[in-house]
Amino acid sequence: MAQVKVYSTPTCPYCIRAKKYLSDKGIAFENIDVSADEEALKQMVDVSGQMGVPVLVIDGDVIVGFDQSRIDQKLGF
Amino acid sequence: MLDLVIIGAGPAGITAAIYAARKKIDFILVSKDLGGQTALSADVENYTGYQFIAGPDLVAKFEEHMRQFAITFHNGEAVTRIVQKPGSGFVVESGKNSYACRSVLIASGRRPRWLGVPGEEKYRNKGVSYCATCDGPLFSKKTVAVIGGGNSALDAALQMIAIAEKVYLVDINPALGGDEVMRRKVETSPKVEVLNNAKTLAITGERFVKAMKIDVSGQARELAVSGIFVEIGSTPNSDIADFVDRNASGEIVVDCLNRTSARGVFAAGDVTTVPEKQIIVAAGEGAKAVLGVSRYLVQEK
């Protein structure tokens, strides 16, 4: 099972879609709300080098934005 | 050869796909994303049948409706070019694939307009954002600037009042536009400083945005900000069809049957010259366009 982290904010439509997409595919993930956790925001900026959400980390690989084809590729769909 | 390729999966493209499926047209839908600008709208209160629905939820409804039909949908595939093949239709190219077809419906919508100043591209997603709904919460208790003076700028400013420490509203015009209700809320907020006649010149920083240089009525000024939200309108995604007539702002010229200047090429929604960029208008135009395509295909057979 892939280790999946989603850095997101509660309002961001692409975050909502990314999380829904993972749920629909039956993928368990850790959701990190960076609007509520400044340390997590710093961590997200460190791993992705930018501030846009969502950021997905799948088995250590960083995907910026809701990039469905890259998510599919990483998860083997 | 396909009968039709629909480009774009916003309200116009999705509605077109539903109509095309019901008309039993042999078609595919190709889009870089699902939902277009609707997926980024916060609250929708003027789509008939829904007193109130969030943009992403309306897109989910659209998708659910579309998925009732066995539609071939290439999502995540941006069309790069449409090529005319005189006498034998068109080829729609996406970089990944190319699709030969007898007709094309362009419903590729619009994208946020860029400022075109130094630093903008470098600091994109490093403080520069085109979506306050998405990235606003990252600037909790920070100083930010919203650039623009219309409704979308006012909306972004109102969102940021609730989050940021201070909000500069940088408007190039002598007075703010937009709805009076929103304008008053922004102008009376103690957190907001409105700068009129203010032209953005450059965005500066190190790894992330630190400041922006502006010209206010001829006076140079620098604002120390960590976030910049660009809300200066949008531009049509019409570059893929450079052979059809477009107006000065790049919108594809269509007649009342959604026909473009090129026979067999139709267009619908926000990418076109049809006035009033509204979800419901785009959806209706998508329906109308496919009915026109259907008639065209019958005539051409």
Side-chain angles (χ1 to χ4, degrees), chain B residues 132-151:
Chain B
T133 313
C134 305
D135 302 323
L138 305 179
F139 298 92
S140 170
K141 301 190 180 66
K142 302 273 170 57
T143 296
V144 301
V146 173
I147 302 175
N151 272 334

Side-chain angles (χ1 to χ4, degrees), chain B residues 8-26:
Chain B
I14 292 175
T15 308
I18 292 168
Y19 270 71
R22 287 171 55 86
K23 281 279 178 192
K24 304 270 191 284
I25 293 171
D26 180 23

Side-chain angles (χ1 to χ4, degrees), chain B residues 113 115 117 146-150 153 169-177 194-201 214-217 231-232:
Chain B
R113 220 172 95 200
L115 284 163
V117 300
V146 173
I147 302 175
L169 186 53
V170 181
D171 179 17
I172 200 163
N173 292 308
L176 293 176
V194 178
L195 299 163
N196 293 119
N197 296 310
K199 187 171 163 46
T200 306
L201 303 175
I214 58 172
D215 176 307
V216 189
S217 309
E231 298 285 353
I232 55 169

Side-chain angles (χ1 to χ4, degrees), chain A residues 36-65:
Chain A
D37 183 344
E38 208 165 319
E39 273 309 304
L41 175 59
K42 276 189 195 138
Q43 206 179 70
M44 181 190 92
V45 167
D46 278 343
V47 298
S48 71
Q50 57 89 56
M51 298 179 79
V53 284
V55 170
L56 281 74
V57 182
I58 303 177
D59 287 338
D61 281 356
V62 177
I63 300 173
V64 176

Side-chain angles (χ1 to χ4, degrees), chain B residues 2-8 11-30 65-66 68-72 103-105 266 283-295 297-298:
Chain B
L2 293 158
D3 281 338
L4 169 67
V5 173
I6 300 172
I7 301 165
I14 292 175
T15 308
I18 292 168
Y19 270 71
R22 287 171 55 86
K23 281 279 178 192
K24 304 270 191 284
I25 293 171
D26 180 23
F27 79 101
I28 59 168
L29 175 63
V30 185
H65 192 166
M66 181 176 74
Q68 289 200 312
F69 305 94
I71 287 171
T72 306
S103 66
V104 181
L105 171 54
F266 296 73
E285 288 288 313
K288 189 155 68 71
V290 163
L291 296 175
V293 168
S294 169
R295 216 169 291 124
L297 291 169
V298 170

Side-chain angles (χ1 to χ4, degrees), chain A residues 14-27 29 56 66-73 75 77, chain B residues 63 67 75:
Chain A
Y14 282 117
C15 302
I16 295 167
R17 295 239 320 267
K19 288 186 277 186
K20 184 173 181 300
Y21 186 72
L22 292 172
S23 301
D24 288 351
K25 295 273 183 188
I27 303 292
F29 61 90
L56 281 74
F66 176 40
D67 185 338
Q68 204 176 307
S69 53
R70 282 197 62 203
I71 294 170
D72 285 354
Q73 198 187 356
L75 294 173
F77 293 138
Chain B
E63 185 183 15
R67 296 282 187 199
N75 193 5

